[in-house]
Amino acid sequence: MRIMITGGGTGGHTSPAVAIIEELRKRDPRLDVQWVGRKGAIEERVSKTYSVPFRSVPVEGWPRERSLKQVWVGAKLALGVGRSLLLIRKFRPQLVLGVGGYVSLPLILAAQRMKVPTILHEQNKRLGLANRLAAGRASLILLSYPETVGEYPRERAAVLGNPVRAGFAHPPAKADACAVFELDPEAPVVLVSGGSQGAHTLNQAMFDLLEGSDEAESAQFIWMTGPADAGRAHAVAEQSPIRARVFAFIDDMVSACAAADLIVSRAGASSTAEIALLGKPSILVPYPFATDNHQEQNARAFEDAGAACVLLDNECTGARLRELIEGLVGDEARLRAMGVGAASLARPGAAEAIAEQILSTVFE
């Protein structure tokens, strides 16, 4: 089977693509796949990690305000579509899968123009701009939430969930995961993560929390800062009586999540899907500048399920974060209930179901 995958810009788009590729490779050892995206972006790095040939197209995010830059970005999109037409003619895919982000639009539009079947996957509760533009001519639109907001042909939509990498389905025991991070498995563990690039708001709240503590808390912290704040975070953690393990980036996020009794995170699609699959309680701090405010909508879905406390970015202070964490880690019954709520949102068979749809579309 020959397919092309396109999308990226953030880990929220690339992680589902990886999960789908993993599942398709199980089913078809001779799978021939190419990933199309923007040169130098996260999708190129991820594709290399998973040994997927990468092809680049010129593309840039659409400016939301009217300006001359829209003319430039439109011209670049046209060039991207032209480049995508050439890539499709050369590779001859049987299907093109779009996982969202503006980088997916050139290849999806080119494939639809050439009558190649296209499947779109939407990770967020609100349909992204690229998927909204391509939905009308897509063969299938695969959703993560039943109440997805946006215009799309509902007769060609199916709610299959947001696939996550296979490791999250089989996490280690808490004691083993705590050993990886040199933490006490008998004490509460809080994972604080703003994603691969970090979240300065979360980091600043953690600076204030750690610097404002005169005595050790009952909770221990695993703190993924991203590269920008890592140096200061290490210095602050060394001076604090609170036990905090600081990392600019964590390769083994499965173990980090498995060690945690509570997760403090942004509300990106992949992060929330991983939290749901693991059945972990969380404090979600939506990124306020996400397109169409989709992170807050993701977070509110978890809040409605009793799975998370939502802490808005402008309210995320060290004092407020401490208050929430102390209230939750001291209430085991509530943590268990939140974990059940999170698990109710999980779709553990999402990758398998999406692979089935791809195979059915290719070989129907």
Side-chain angles (χ1 to χ4, degrees):
M1 181 171 62
R2 291 186 315 281
I3 69 168
M4 298 176 91
I5 291 181
T6 183
T10 69
H13 296 304
T14 59
S15 291
V18 169
I20 294 166
I21 290 168
E22 287 178 337
E23 183 61 29
L24 288 174
R25 281 175 166 169
K26 290 180 190 175
R27 294 165 181 256
D28 182 2
R30 299 176 64 185
L31 177 71
D32 195 0
V33 58
Q34 284 186 359
W35 195 324
V36 177
R38 186 179 183 184
K39 187 174 180 62
I42 185 173
E43 58 269 20
E44 182 175 16
R45 299 193 298 274
V46 170
S47 66
K48 289 179 179 178
T49 299
Y50 290 90
S51 302
V52 178
F54 182 81
R55 303 290 182 268
S56 66
V57 294
V59 62
E60 193 170 330
W62 186 256
R64 296 299 170 133
E65 296 182 1
R66 293 179 65 87
S67 67
L68 288 175
K69 189 178 180 182
Q70 289 181 334
V71 177
W72 164 248
V73 173
K76 209 168 186 179
L77 175 61
L79 287 173
V81 172
R83 166 74 172 157
S84 296
L85 291 169
L86 295 176
L87 292 174
I88 290 171
R89 288 195 183 102
K90 184 174 182 180
F91 186 65
R92 296 180 295 110
Q94 294 166 283
L95 180 138
V96 171
L97 172 68
V99 293
Y102 65 86
V103 298
S104 68
L105 198 54
L107 189 74
I108 292 293
L109 294 180
Q112 292 176 343
R113 180 174 176 179
M114 297 182 72
K115 310 298 184 186
V116 177
T118 55
I119 292 179
L120 308 179
H121 183 265
E122 179 57 56
Q123 300 87 39
N124 296 296
K125 191 174 177 181
R126 174 176 286 276
L127 207 67
L129 177 60
N131 281 346
R132 292 203 302 270
L133 292 173
R137 297 173 64 186
S139 304
L140 284 170
I141 303 101
L142 306 180
L143 307 175
S144 300
Y145 293 91
E147 63 276 23
T148 295
V149 178
E151 294 297 322
Y152 56 91
R154 296 177 187 269
E155 70 279 4
R156 280 181 273 134
V159 181
L160 300 184
N162 191 8
V164 300
R165 289 166 289 164
F168 285 93
H170 306 286
K174 179 182 176 179
D176 295 332
C178 284
V180 172
F181 296 95
E182 301 177 351
L183 295 172
D184 179 3
E186 300 300 320
V189 176
V190 179
L191 169 63
V192 180
S193 169
S196 59
Q197 296 303 308
H200 185 68
T201 298
L202 287 182
N203 291 342
Q204 185 59 55
M206 282 295 295
F207 294 147
D208 295 342
L209 188 155
L210 294 179
E211 290 175 332
S213 297
D214 296 325
E215 57 185 30
E217 303 279 341
S218 59
Q220 312 163 95
F221 289 85
I222 303 172
W223 180 14
M224 189 170 85
T225 65
D229 289 329
R232 181 183 173 191
H234 279 288
V236 169
E238 287 176 3
Q239 297 299 316
S240 174
I242 297 175
R243 191 171 189 182
R245 302 279 287 126
V246 176
F247 304 87
F249 181 77
I250 299 174
D251 287 310
D252 187 2
M253 279 301 289
V254 175
S255 291
C257 291
D261 298 284
L262 175 67
I263 296 174
V264 181
S265 172
R266 287 300 198 191
S270 288
S271 297
T272 50
E274 291 161 1
I275 289 169
L277 187 59
L278 292 167
K280 294 288 183 175
S282 60
I283 298 170
L284 297 178
V285 186
Y287 178 58
F289 305 111
T291 305
D292 297 323
N293 200 29
H294 68 257
Q295 284 209 10
E296 184 172 346
Q297 295 192 44
N298 294 345
R300 295 299 180 189
F302 273 66
E303 182 182 57
D304 291 344
C309 295
V310 176
L311 178 60
L312 295 180
D313 193 82
N314 62 0
E315 299 172 353
C316 185
T317 64
R320 181 62 179 138
L321 186 60
R322 178 199 296 276
E323 179 184 3
L324 283 174
I325 290 172
E326 288 180 347
L328 290 172
V329 298
D331 189 343
E332 292 186 9
R334 187 177 180 192
L335 286 180
R336 284 195 299 272
M338 291 173 72
V340 171
S344 73
L345 298 174
R347 290 183 176 265
E352 292 89 338
I354 292 169
E356 288 286 350
Q357 290 287 355
I358 291 171
L359 292 167
S360 297
T361 303
V362 169
F363 297 112
E364 66 180 1

